[in-house]
Amino acid sequence: MKVIVVKDYEEMSQKAFEIMASVLDAKEDAVIGLATGTTPIGLYSKMIEDCKKGRSYAKVKTANLDEYYGIDPTNEQSYVSFMKAKLFDHIDIEQNNTHIELSNAKDAQAECDRYTALLEKMPRDIQVLGIGSNGHVGFNEPNTPFGSDTHVVELTESTIKDNSRLFNSIDEVPTKALTMGIKQVMQAKKIILLANGKNKAKAIRDAVKGKVDPICPASILQLHPDVTFIVDEDAASLL
Ligand code: GLP
């Protein structure tokens, strides 16, 4: 595991972009795993600039980590809407090459199984991760078994509270989600995990220095052969 401590959000996004660009330079049809949340927005802005400067994303394929369950995909709070607004609508990617769990699938478990099978067929060259303040990756909440496949999650109170800042009220936050399992996260060839801010410091300490234990889902990354944490000074303050 490599840990890069950077000054601030801008530097974190730049460093992440450099790693992403090196993957895309090597393979124009790379499969990239993407994350939502406020953390990777700076990285996505840099990918948009990169496309405007001339790189084509037409052959790139994407697979997102997770999606809320029980809302319409057109709802502006869905993660598919987020990805369109923050990245896909601004680059030349083919819509058919972007993948995410379906937020209003009738049968949630069948949708998870479809997604697990899809990921088997499109191994990711790189996976971008954020981290929850409780150490979650994707929506793999504390105590999720490390061997889990894509599954339905009952979100914890702490995650609902953290994510409520993006909704009009806490009652609007969906209580369920569909997420790639830890197993699928670990299958990516290369992983970058980004974190900024003091509220991530404990999760980063537990992930980097703690015991590899499902209580901190991100701690499993210690066992991945090619993972880089890019954290700002605040998020690194307990290391
Ligand atoms: C959300 C997402 C995660 C994300 C995390 C952190 O719940 N499911 O994939 O990494 O929480 O979000 P943020 O980047 O906004 O702090």
Side-chain angles (χ1 to χ4, degrees):
M1 167 181 286
K2 196 165 154 198
V3 180
I4 303 177
V5 180
V6 293
K7 199 167 70 259
D8 53 20
Y9 185 84
E10 167 58 25
E11 217 182 290
M12 177 194 77
S13 307
Q14 179 59 29
K15 200 83 229 159
F17 171 70
E18 285 164 17
I19 297 174
M20 176 63 75
S22 70
V23 170
L24 297 171
D25 288 346
K27 205 173 167 191
E28 61 174 357
D29 59 348
V31 181
I32 61 179
L34 299 175
T36 47
T38 41
T39 311
I41 293 176
L43 163 64
Y44 297 157
S45 301
K46 289 183 188 296
M47 291 166 71
I48 294 169
E49 271 172 51
D50 181 45
C51 182
K52 291 207 169 111
K53 282 187 198 146
R55 186 195 302 278
S56 173
Y57 284 73
K59 291 187 177 161
V60 170
K61 295 192 182 72
T62 68
N64 262 81
L65 280 172
D66 51 9
E67 175 60 289
Y68 285 122
Y69 184 65
I71 61 174
D72 199 85
T74 59
N75 185 314
E76 61 173 10
Q77 297 288 1
S78 74
Y79 282 170
V80 66
S81 298
F82 174 98
M83 288 310 303
K84 285 182 181 159
K86 302 296 182 202
L87 182 63
F88 299 154
D89 284 353
H90 311 285
I91 58 176
D92 64 339
I93 198 159
E94 300 284 336
Q95 172 116 5
N96 288 344
N97 285 342
T98 68
H99 303 279
I100 188 164
E101 298 90 335
L102 183 61
S103 62
N104 63 352
K106 269 213 181 83
D107 182 337
Q109 190 51 52
E111 174 58 8
C112 291
D113 296 345
R114 176 193 74 83
Y115 207 64
T116 294
L118 175 78
L119 294 170
E120 288 286 329
K121 283 189 277 171
M122 43 182 286
R124 277 147 294 142
D125 296 291
I126 183 168
Q127 175 67 55
V128 178
L129 296 177
I131 187 168
S133 63
N134 63 3
H136 74 221
V137 288
F139 270 132
N140 290 282
E141 297 282 30
N143 292 319
T144 304
F146 284 149
S148 60
D149 285 315
T150 311
H151 61 283
V152 188
V153 182
E154 290 285 343
L155 298 176
T156 61
E157 247 179 74
S158 92
T159 297
I160 291 173
K161 200 163 149 252
D162 281 357
N163 289 5
S164 67
R165 69 186 195 286
L166 305 170
F167 289 77
N168 292 326
S169 84
I170 196 160
D171 307 328
E172 287 181 20
V173 186
T175 56
K176 287 187 182 181
L178 309 179
T179 185
M180 260 187 217
I182 304 274
K183 194 164 144 193
Q184 282 73 42
V185 171
M186 290 294 276
Q187 277 166 354
K189 289 182 201 142
K190 180 190 268 309
I191 297 179
I192 53 174
L193 184 146
L194 318 185
N196 68 293
K198 275 244 163 11
N199 65 325
K200 299 292 173 71
K202 185 181 173 301
I204 290 298
R205 183 197 61 198
D206 293 349
V208 174
K209 291 198 155 167
K211 203 169 124 217
V212 176
D213 189 297
I215 192 74
C216 176
S219 64
I220 187 72
L221 298 171
Q222 292 176 27
L223 305 184
H224 191 280
D226 184 359
V227 60
T228 304
F229 278 49
I230 309 168
V231 293
D232 78 346
E233 286 169 1
D234 284 341
S237 58
L238 296 177
L239 286 180

